């Protein structure tokens, strides 16, 4: 199965700053079938990005996804207070689908 | 609006069984594959099982194969997972999720989660 490694483990930033999160796959992700989710404490994950770069319904345009092959990035252009959370990547191009271990974005 | 609501979680002894349910509303349930995904305390997400929209095809993670059974009742808009021979490592919050691409899919809607604790 494909192993996803997210970095950094924790990102300490201030509101208004830019966040860049990385997700690296152990082998190429078929057809850029990569998704990103946001999860706040005690809540279910929320879909942000699918197909590496497609924003899900209702997701603000400060969230963007890019990448292909084995290297993918989630960028939050200007952090809002509600963006401080854990972010997970998931590949669904190869069975079984797998998740990364998550990146926590915390307030500096 | 799409809603998924899990129920049935709780504390259970190792080796015992538990059945979780997920009630769906706000969309045509019979048109979508449905998944179970779990999250152990302080850990990442782990895909558990998927069932096709027509109930015919079912696939499982190796970690639960032979112990868990996924099923659905399209007449009741409800998804289930029967969990047998539970182990301590099955302790997690269990989420049901909709898979718009079927088996190999991202998850566009999630339930709020049902916690399961396996402990003596």
């Amino acid at each position: 199965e494909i192993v996803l490694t997210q970095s950094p483990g924790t990102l300490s930033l201030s509101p208004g700053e830019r966040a860049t999160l990385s997700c690296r796959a152990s082998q190429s992700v078929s057809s850029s079938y990569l998704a990103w989710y946001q999860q706040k404490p005690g809540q279910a994950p929320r879909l942000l990005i699918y197909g590496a770069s497609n924003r899900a319904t209702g997701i603000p345009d400060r969230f963007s996804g890019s990448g292909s092959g084995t290297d993918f990035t989630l960028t939050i252009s200007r952090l809002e207070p509600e963006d401080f959370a854990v972010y997970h990547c998931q590949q669904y191009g190869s069975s079984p689908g797998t998740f990364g271990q998550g990146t926590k974005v915390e307030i500096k | 609006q799409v809603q998924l609501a899990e129920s049935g979680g709780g504390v259970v002894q190792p080796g015992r069984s538990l059945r979780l349910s997920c009630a769906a509303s706000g969309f045509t349930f019979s048109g979508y594959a449905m998944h179970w995904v779990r999250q152990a305390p302080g850990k990442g997400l782990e895909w558990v099982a998927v069932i096709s929209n027509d109930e015919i095809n079912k696939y499982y993670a190796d970690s639960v194969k032979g112990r868990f059974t996924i099923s659905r009742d399209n007449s009741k808009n409800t998804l289930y997972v029967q969990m047998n021979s539970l182990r301590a490592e099955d302790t997690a919050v269990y989420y049901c999720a909709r898979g718009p691409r079927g088996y190999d899919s991202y998850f566009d809607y999630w339930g709020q989660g049902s916690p399961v604790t396996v402990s003596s």
Side-chain angles (χ1 to χ4, degrees), chain A residues 17-102:
Chain A
E17 289 193 294
R18 182 185 187 89
T20 303
L21 287 67
S22 173
C23 178
R24 179 161 291 175
S26 60
Q27 52 189 285
S28 184
V29 176
S30 172
S31 302
S32 295
Y33 287 154
L34 189 109
W36 290 93
Y37 302 87
Q38 177 193 69
Q39 187 177 29
K40 297 179 181 180
Q43 296 186 17
R46 178 175 72 142
L47 177 67
L48 299 174
I49 301 286
Y50 64 95
S53 60
N54 301 291
R55 270 188 302 276
T57 303
I59 301 303
D61 60 8
R62 65 180 181 273
F63 291 92
S64 63
S66 63
S68 64
T70 60
D71 290 300
F72 298 87
T73 300
L74 175 71
T75 302
I76 311 171
S77 59
R78 284 179 56 88
L79 283 164
E80 297 287 341
E82 61 268 28
D83 298 337
F84 292 92
V86 175
Y87 292 83
H88 306 273
C89 60
Q90 176 220 359
Q91 69 79 22
Y92 52 97
S94 175
S95 299
T98 50
F99 292 87
Q101 82 281 12

